[in-house]
Amino acid sequence: MGTAGRGSRGSRQLPALTAAERAAVRTPEQACAEGEGDEGLCRFLSAPRAPRPLEMKALFLGPRGENAPRLEALLVRALRDNAAWRRAFHPGDLPVVSDEDAASAGFTRFWEGFEEELFALLEELKADVPFHSPRYLGHFLGDTALPALAASIATLLYNPNNVSWEVSPITTLLEVEVARELAAMVGFGRGAEELARTWGHVTSGGTVANIEALWAAKAARYLPLAVRAAALESGLSGLPVRPGGPPVGSATSWELAGLPLAAALDLEERYVRAFVEACPDMAPAEAAGRAAARLRAHDVLTLGDQAFAASLGEGDRLGPPVLVASQTMHYSWKKAAGLAGLGSASIWPVPVDRRFRLDAAALRARLRQAAAERRPVLMAVAVCGTTEEGAVDPVHEVVRLREELRAEGLDFFLHCDAAYGGYLAACFRDERLGLRPIEAMRADYGGWPEAEVYDAFAALSEVDSLTVDPHKLGFVPYPAGAVVFRDGRCRELLSQEAPYVFDAEEPGRSQGPSIGRYILEGSKPGSAAAAVCLAHRVIPLDERGYGALLGRLVGLARTFEARLGEVARRLEGRFVVAPIASPDTNVVDYLVNAAGNDRLDVMNRLALSLYAQLSIAPQEPLNARRFLVSHTALTSEAYAPEVVRPLLEERAGVRGAYYVGTDELCELRRASAATGHDDRVVVLRSAMMSPFALEPARGDRTYLDFFFDDLATFLEGGRVSSEA
Ligand SMILES: *Cc1c(COP(=O)(O)O)cnc(C)c1O
């Protein structure tokens, strides 16, 4: 959220909340206005806010713990501050732990044991993965941003539980705030009022966010059918499907299941209103509650899939629902489909093109097929930053396709799984959250992004829901994912209480926003919301903050790609080294081969032996490895030969149809006819997560200089010493 926008919205600390939401707690601003706030905080709030440039070197603890003394000072203050807060709650209460207690033998022994165990644990953790180092070039895991880390640790001392406002009055507000900030970053709404119509919250991660989005999408798809049943039961069969449209009582299940999300949610609202109007003798709140309860009784989440399907009339049945998703989808979608009752077999994967981006034409064919089979499409998933390749699906084309098919009565809930790539949206936003021109971005980020990537991010504002993980490119400690819905009414679909309680407020007692009843999870850490919140306050979600950090990382990926080209030239005639595609984000996947080798199985063995030299060896000390990368496999189960074979031929020099399906491979092996075939392509994968990869590591040679030397040495069969 831009610093500029803050003051103008009335609250410096919670700019994305509405006045009503802020009224639920006494904000620091109010307390200060009444002369009762903490002195330091009031001074901070009333001082003009100077622009604070993002200083990359101040942002992390550092590869050598360079910023440890500064973090130590902050954490000690945070701990003392928490203790002072404890004392200030009824200062006259007597201490429980007296000096004599603390001097007792039992007390001392307890603390000694505790200390020993703690430091033994820390010794064990020394074998952990050194994500903090620019030598770690593997998964999207890096050093955490200090504001997030400090806020997380400091808030743990309070241990708020964001399941309910009652046990997290502050961090619940922070959670609503950060979700709105993420909504604003992707263009879901501008200004507090528009943003208040979105809904989002922090989750334990992208998996839970995806599951929740599918849960809501399923409820939304069948909502009009539940409204039809409730309306018929209530003598409201004349309720029009759309204003001025045909009555709901005469609409078919297929027509109703094809309504756009907003139309479905509008229909629900009009049903409740019609119900209230038809009961003039009942108090409106009570009538609305009755209407909601009746609707709930017909809902798919209440009835379960079988009873719901059975409730539809003969001749008006629907086929089983499907989920259509980019082939490169994360495996959490399989979990989600199983949980949502579709079964993972009802996921229709859509092939990707040679850039590993969803093929929109193939998607159209899949959607048409679903329509022909009368199978409702619960959701279409586009991925922004695929887990394996960092590829960005053409969200703009999927949005266009939705328009096109809507005209044919086929609609789908569009979700963008931006668990990994979502924060890159900050690169696209200026400090007023306007979309930056592509030329300005390319000038800043080493030529990134390509037009397709730009259009995809610009179209995020049109999707129905979005997963974005602060614990990935937000550099926030685990657990911190998020799900955001563009139409905030979606949360009512999942609500465990009657939604239409017009008179919720008990007189004289303000009611805070509640999260727990609308979400999948129960008890959850308020410290996660606080961590995300402080990260956003210090690192704005636009070109000045996350945009600058992540822009550097995508620029590094382009440098990495160029350096791969240099190594390839150095090794020409002996080895092949090449990226599988130009990176859409900050991940580079690359393949290696021996020059002239045509056999895919041999090529894969070479990649695995290289990986073995660039990954943690459990039996050896951590620093036996100078660099760490990750690897993945393009498997025939997920990637079509039309995508992979040309790639192998052009980039790795593997001619012939050696890339085959698993069944075919088994057959070939059984007949002893496998002459180099495999059902996968092993590729190495490096995510650029450290902004310091081009800093000198020794002398004037950078981390990347050393890395590419090692890569060449290993390929030529040489060894490197663990020093230098
Ligand atoms: C990481 C990832 C997920 C899962 O997120 P978790 O936080 O690990 O649960 C989902 N989708 C994509 C695209 C991802 O990269």
Side-chain angles (χ1 to χ4, degrees):
M1 196 74 3
T3 336
R6 274 216 169 118
S8 61
R9 291 214 194 109
S11 167
R12 178 149 166 180
Q13 295 302 85
L14 299 166
L17 295 192
T18 61
E21 285 162 337
R22 278 196 298 267
V25 292
R26 192 155 178 252
T27 61
E29 277 102 340
Q30 269 173 294
C32 293
E34 290 159 19
E36 288 174 11
D38 174 85
E39 207 181 305
L41 181 60
C42 295
R43 217 175 316 119
F44 169 76
L45 290 175
S46 59
R49 182 165 286 192
R52 293 175 298 207
L54 182 73
E55 182 46 68
M56 229 81 75
K57 291 195 174 175
L59 190 53
F60 300 100
L61 192 49
R64 296 171 56 88
E66 294 90 327
N67 285 316
R70 283 168 283 276
L71 179 64
E72 179 184 316
L74 285 189
L75 292 182
V76 167
R77 276 176 63 192
L79 178 59
R80 288 185 183 157
D81 185 64
N82 180 267
W85 172 73
R86 290 170 185 232
R87 286 192 297 274
F89 182 67
H90 300 290
D93 291 355
L94 294 172
V96 167
V97 185
S98 67
D99 289 348
E100 292 87 80
D101 290 331
S104 75
F107 198 101
T108 315
R109 270 203 306 280
F110 176 87
W111 269 85
E112 280 167 4
F114 164 25
E115 191 176 326
E116 276 170 23
E117 291 294 346
L118 175 64
F119 286 92
L121 171 69
L122 297 186
E123 274 316 303
E124 291 175 62
L125 286 173
K126 298 296 176 295
D128 220 45
V129 188
F131 304 124
H132 59 269
S133 171
R135 292 176 181 271
Y136 183 78
L137 294 161
H139 295 278
F140 11 88
L141 268 158
D143 213 352
T144 49
L146 287 181
L149 182 65
S152 171
I153 295 172
T155 310
L156 279 174
L157 297 169
Y158 295 80
N159 200 29
N161 180 351
N162 276 24
V163 71
S164 153
W165 181 75
E166 201 187 1
V167 286
S168 56
I170 303 303
T171 47
T172 287
L173 291 187
L174 301 185
E175 180 161 347
V176 174
E177 167 75 24
V178 297
R180 298 239 173 98
E181 289 169 351
L182 292 170
M185 174 178 71
V186 297
F188 276 3
R190 307 189 65 174
E193 275 64 41
E194 260 184 55
L195 282 172
R197 289 198 285 275
T198 68
W199 161 246
H201 64 91
V202 174
T203 62
S204 68
T207 299
V208 164
N210 286 343
I211 292 170
E212 188 175 307
L214 181 58
W215 191 25
K218 177 182 176 182
R221 185 57 47 220
Y222 295 117
L223 175 67
L225 282 76
V227 173
R228 179 180 61 181
L232 288 174
E233 193 180 73
S234 315
L236 297 169
S237 62
L239 179 76
V241 175
R242 297 170 190 265
V248 73
S250 66
T252 65
S253 292
W254 179 251
E255 284 161 357
L256 291 172
L259 282 185
L261 176 65
L265 294 165
D266 288 346
L267 174 61
E268 179 190 5
E269 283 183 356
R270 284 187 291 102
Y271 151 75
V272 173
R273 245 180 287 139
F275 191 103
V276 171
E277 279 161 23
C279 304
D281 296 336
M282 216 187 271
E286 196 191 339
R290 289 278 289 276
R294 206 162 257 191
L295 177 60
R296 180 58 54 84
H298 294 283
D299 190 80
V300 67
L301 300 188
T302 303
L303 291 174
D305 295 355
Q306 293 200 11
F308 184 80
S311 75
L312 304 179
E314 200 70 49
D316 191 35
R317 300 258 154 90
L318 295 169
V322 295
L323 167 70
V324 184
S326 191
Q327 188 126 60
T328 51
M329 78 192 105
H330 187 263
Y331 65 90
S332 54
W333 289 105
K334 289 195 177 156
K335 300 182 186 176
L339 279 165
L342 296 84
S344 52
S346 292
I347 301 179
W348 286 1
V350 182
V352 291
D353 64 17
R354 295 193 51 193
R355 298 296 303 277
F356 299 93
R357 301 168 181 159
L358 176 132
D359 179 340
L363 175 64
R364 179 190 284 108
R366 285 310 229 165
L367 293 167
R368 286 245 159 84
Q369 182 190 348
E373 297 175 16
R374 298 260 140 161
R375 299 185 66 169
V377 178
L378 291 198
M379 183 184 256
V381 181
V383 188
C384 253
T386 60
T387 317
E388 305 305 336
E389 307 86 1
V392 175
D393 283 342
V395 181
H396 52 295
E397 288 181 30
V398 184
V399 167
R400 228 177 285 142
L401 193 56
R402 187 176 55 176
E403 293 302 317
E404 179 190 319
L405 295 178
R406 212 168 246 180
E408 300 172 18
L410 172 72
D411 195 77
F412 53 87
F413 190 106
L414 174 53
H415 180 83
C416 180
D417 185 357
Y420 156 52
Y423 272 77
L424 286 168
C427 299
F428 294 76
R429 299 281 161 189
D430 63 28
E431 65 181 275
R432 305 201 155 273
L433 290 176
L435 201 59
R436 301 180 64 200
I438 189 169
E439 300 76 25
M441 293 181 64
R442 286 180 174 166
D444 284 353
Y445 310 136
W448 184 85
E450 289 176 35
E452 291 78 11
V453 171
Y454 183 86
D455 291 345
F457 273 90
L460 286 182
S461 58
E462 303 301 319
V463 306
D464 295 311
S465 59
L466 180 101
T467 292
V468 48
D469 275 358
H471 66 208
K472 283 184 178 159
L473 288 183
F475 293 87
V476 170
Y478 301 110
V483 62
V484 190
F485 295 91
R486 187 157 51 98
D487 190 327
R489 293 177 293 175
C490 283
R491 72 177 187 173
E492 303 293 354
L493 296 166
L494 307 178
S495 166
Q496 299 307 308
E497 276 166 40
Y500 297 94
V501 187
F502 295 153
D503 225 3
E505 266 164 77
E506 298 168 39
R509 190 152 194 276
S510 63
Q511 188 96 15
S514 200
I515 293 176
R517 64 180 153 165
Y518 302 114
I519 69 171
L520 186 57
E521 288 159 278
S523 294
K524 60 206 283 288
S527 54
V532 180
C533 178
L534 201 72
H536 291 184
R537 283 180 186 172
V538 181
I539 317 166
L541 288 170
D542 57 49
E543 60 175 318
R544 301 163 305 161
Y546 276 104
L549 172 62
L550 302 181
R552 178 177 297 186
L553 300 183
V554 292
L556 273 176
R558 305 199 133 222
T559 305
F560 193 93
E561 181 190 17
R563 299 290 295 269
L564 277 175
E566 285 169 24
V567 174
R569 283 190 289 283
R570 244 161 80 192
L571 297 173
E572 200 165 338
R574 286 167 289 156
F575 291 96
V576 176
V577 181
I580 61 167
S582 202
D584 277 355
T585 53
N586 64 326
V587 183
V588 188
D589 283 4
Y590 41 108
L591 34 80
V592 292
N593 196 8
N597 170 49
D598 225 16
R599 296 182 53 144
L600 179 56
D601 59 348
V602 171
M603 175 180 151
N604 284 343
R605 279 203 292 277
L606 178 69
L608 287 173
S609 75
L610 183 59
Y611 172 69
Q613 290 167 291
L614 291 165
S615 55
I616 285 195
Q619 313 304 336
E620 292 178 41
L622 194 58
N623 60 6
R625 293 290 180 265
R626 304 209 313 182
F627 288 94
L628 300 168
V629 303
S630 61
H631 78 305
T632 184
L634 310 178
T635 61
S636 60
E637 192 196 332
Y639 298 85
E642 301 84 76
V643 170
V644 174
R645 282 186 188 156
L647 175 84
L648 283 173
E649 178 154 354
E650 285 162 29
R651 304 218 165 197
V654 172
R655 274 162 295 273
Y658 288 118
Y659 177 74
V660 293
T662 308
D663 289 343
E664 198 181 331
L665 184 64
C666 284
E667 286 305 315
L668 287 168
R669 285 193 177 150
R670 196 170 303 153
S672 299
T675 55
H677 300 81
D678 211 339
D679 63 348
R680 62 196 55 231
V681 180
V682 177
V683 299
L684 300 182
R685 187 175 65 145
S686 290
M688 303 296 119
M689 292 299 283
S690 169
F692 308 126
L694 288 176
E695 292 288 326
R698 307 278 166 107
D700 58 0
R701 307 202 64 227
T702 69
Y703 288 98
L704 285 191
D705 289 339
F706 282 112
F707 173 74
F708 284 104
D709 278 357
D710 280 12
L711 193 68
T713 307
F714 286 140
L715 279 172
E716 301 206 279
R719 295 176 63 83
V720 297
S721 86
S722 63
E723 251 312 291

